[in-house]
Amino acid sequence: MKTLLLIAGTRPEIIKVAPVILHWKNTSFQKFFDVKLCLTGQHHTMANEALSIFGITPDANLEIMKPNQTLNDIAQVVFERLPNVLKQFSPDVVVVQGDTTTAAMSAVCAFQQKIPVAHIEAGLRTFNLDAPFPEEANRKIIGSIASFHFPPTQSAHVNLLNEGISKQKIFLTGNTSVDALEYIQQFHSLDIISEIDERIRSPFVLITAHRRESFGEGFQNICTAIKICAERFPHFQFIYPVHLNPNVRTPVMNLLGNISNVFLIEPVSYLKLLTLLNRSEFVLTDSGGIQEEAPSFKKYCIVMREVTERVESLLAGIAELVGTDTEKVVHAVAKQIVSPSKFTFENNPYGDGTASEKILSVFQAHLK
């Protein structure tokens, strides 16, 4: 029997590989190959929370987390510890997801041992190595060595073809995040706002912002824009789960800490984050994941980045790019409050909930 080794560490990675594992467990695919999950271990609490949502238990854990670690520290520990896991399970394919440093280094480690690499969420590009950093470089690294590419959208598929990757190695699947949300909405309630904070009332805007490339002046601008909006629209609440990174936390607390309709709350669980997204009027974000998740809840996204690899939302008119320019952020928020965008779409631009089945079908057809 062939073996797939899935590698994940961050909460988004676990959420996006979980549907693949669940679909394998609950279908006849178990007859064709075994599936193992290796955690990298850099997000211990959030990882365990994500695993519990789906009832998944990892088969191995690299436990790479240490205080104040750098990207190079992460790479070093992956190269030190992953080979033993590869030796233990002897996988026929190593499957990585997305664009983290652990995903890229795990792919390189497998490649150096001549183990085929599969890339879930392949082909996303901004064509700017500085934004997002280091994610743009990481996904290009994985793309250059992968044997199986699973782009979530047609534009990602085209990006891979334009980079000279053989079309025989590319399999358009949709995004597994849509699969994950369908599972979550079936088994978990996303309505109980009072469990997050009893002060929260509608209408409110959800804010998520933590991008490394915005540290410094960018975050000062973002916070200034939120302050202006909160003062201009006192009947709206602005709910911001604040990242623990001091590069985020310091400017946010300094500029927004004493505004009555801005609620700076601690980071929340994934289910609570989805509850906030579900109940919000719209979302102000720099998160790639939120851009993918918002369409499932039919929420408009104001994206505080200069570029995005999720162009489908822009093309569908359900998101806009404003960067970290204070005036642009304020204008976009004011427009959505005064005259909110009304949009409908027949098909979610990020998939139809069958990405996991398509990925497993590819492995069934090609792992003989």
Side-chain angles (χ1 to χ4, degrees):
M1 180 176 286
K2 303 296 184 181
T3 299
L4 309 178
L5 177 63
L6 278 63
I7 298 179
T10 65
R11 184 169 73 179
E13 287 175 334
I14 294 169
I15 289 164
K16 290 180 179 182
V17 303
V20 178
I21 297 171
L22 292 178
H23 197 75
W24 167 76
K25 281 185 174 181
N26 296 320
T27 64
S28 61
F29 285 112
Q30 286 192 76
K31 299 177 182 178
F32 301 101
F33 36 75
D34 196 11
V35 171
K36 301 293 184 182
L37 173 63
C38 174
L39 293 187
T40 53
Q42 73 263 44
H43 286 179
H44 179 73
T45 301
M46 290 191 291
N48 285 338
E49 175 235 328
L51 291 168
S52 68
I53 291 172
F54 300 97
I56 293 172
T57 302
D59 301 284
N61 193 331
L62 301 184
E63 297 183 341
I64 70 171
M65 185 65 186
K66 69 177 183 179
N68 303 315
Q69 64 187 358
T70 66
L71 296 175
N72 286 338
D73 292 334
I74 292 172
Q76 177 183 344
V77 179
V78 170
F79 281 122
E80 287 176 351
R81 300 182 183 178
L82 184 57
N84 287 334
V85 175
L86 298 179
K87 182 177 180 180
Q88 176 185 356
F89 294 116
S90 299
D92 296 279
V93 179
V94 166
V95 184
V96 298
Q97 193 283 326
D99 51 24
T100 62
T101 297
T102 48
M105 295 305 101
S106 297
V108 171
C109 189
F111 173 76
Q112 289 176 340
Q113 297 198 26
K114 294 188 176 297
I115 301 171
V117 172
H119 189 196
I120 296 175
E121 201 175 78
L124 275 63
R125 299 289 186 270
T126 64
F127 309 102
N128 181 346
L129 288 176
D130 291 323
F133 177 87
E135 289 86 353
E136 178 75 359
N138 287 337
R139 52 199 177 210
K140 288 176 70 68
I141 289 168
I142 301 169
S144 68
I145 59 179
S147 299
F148 299 90
H149 303 259
F150 299 121
T153 62
Q154 186 61 42
S155 64
H157 186 283
V158 171
N159 289 339
L160 294 169
L161 290 174
N162 289 341
E163 291 176 5
I165 294 171
S166 169
K167 64 180 180 180
Q168 280 75 32
K169 295 182 178 181
I170 305 172
F171 308 90
L172 181 63
T173 61
N175 200 304
T176 55
S177 65
V178 179
D179 303 28
L181 289 178
E182 288 192 357
Y183 173 89
I184 287 169
Q185 290 182 86
Q186 182 178 356
F187 293 101
H188 299 277
S189 171
L190 300 178
D191 281 325
I192 308 175
I193 288 288
S194 61
E195 292 185 0
I196 302 172
D197 192 311
E198 292 183 350
R199 301 171 297 167
I200 297 176
R201 300 286 184 273
S202 295
F204 68 84
V205 179
L206 173 62
I207 303 165
T208 71
H210 65 273
R211 280 283 170 189
R212 184 180 285 107
E213 61 262 30
S214 297
F215 289 173
E217 182 181 358
F219 261 97
Q220 294 284 340
N221 293 344
I222 288 170
C223 292
T224 299
I226 295 169
K227 182 176 186 291
I228 293 171
C229 291
E231 292 171 347
R232 185 178 298 179
F233 302 102
H235 62 295
F236 259 72
Q237 292 183 344
F238 295 79
I239 314 300
Y240 188 172
V242 185
H243 199 282
L244 297 178
N245 190 312
N247 290 296
V248 176
R249 211 167 182 84
T250 300
V252 169
M253 294 301 180
N254 286 344
L255 287 169
L256 302 175
N258 295 309
I259 304 175
S260 61
N261 58 329
V262 176
F263 293 167
L264 305 178
I265 63 177
E266 293 302 306
V268 295
S269 71
Y270 185 60
L271 293 180
K272 289 181 177 179
L273 180 65
L274 292 181
T275 298
L276 289 170
L277 178 59
N278 184 39
R279 295 287 296 274
S280 68
E281 300 302 310
F282 59 93
V283 61
L284 186 61
T285 188
D286 62 9
S287 163
I290 291 285
Q291 291 176 66
E292 295 167 347
E293 292 152 353
S296 291
F297 298 99
K298 293 185 168 52
K299 302 298 179 180
Y300 191 84
C301 267
I302 298 171
V303 183
M304 297 181 293
R305 293 173 58 184
E306 302 301 327
V307 291
T308 182
E309 54 285 280
R310 283 132 175 124
V311 297
E312 289 75 18
S313 291
L314 304 181
L315 295 173
I318 58 178
E320 64 181 299
L321 279 176
V322 296
T324 58
D325 180 274
T326 297
E327 185 176 339
K328 289 181 179 179
V329 174
V330 170
H331 176 78
V333 171
K335 182 180 177 182
Q336 289 307 311
I337 290 177
V338 174
S339 181
S341 296
K342 292 180 172 56
F343 62 88
T344 58
F345 51 82
E346 185 175 342
N347 300 310
N348 188 324
Y350 296 108
D352 60 5
T354 62
S356 300
E357 180 179 1
K358 291 172 183 173
I359 288 168
L360 293 170
S361 295
V362 169
F363 289 133
Q364 181 184 344
H366 289 81
L367 297 181
K368 301 296 185 182

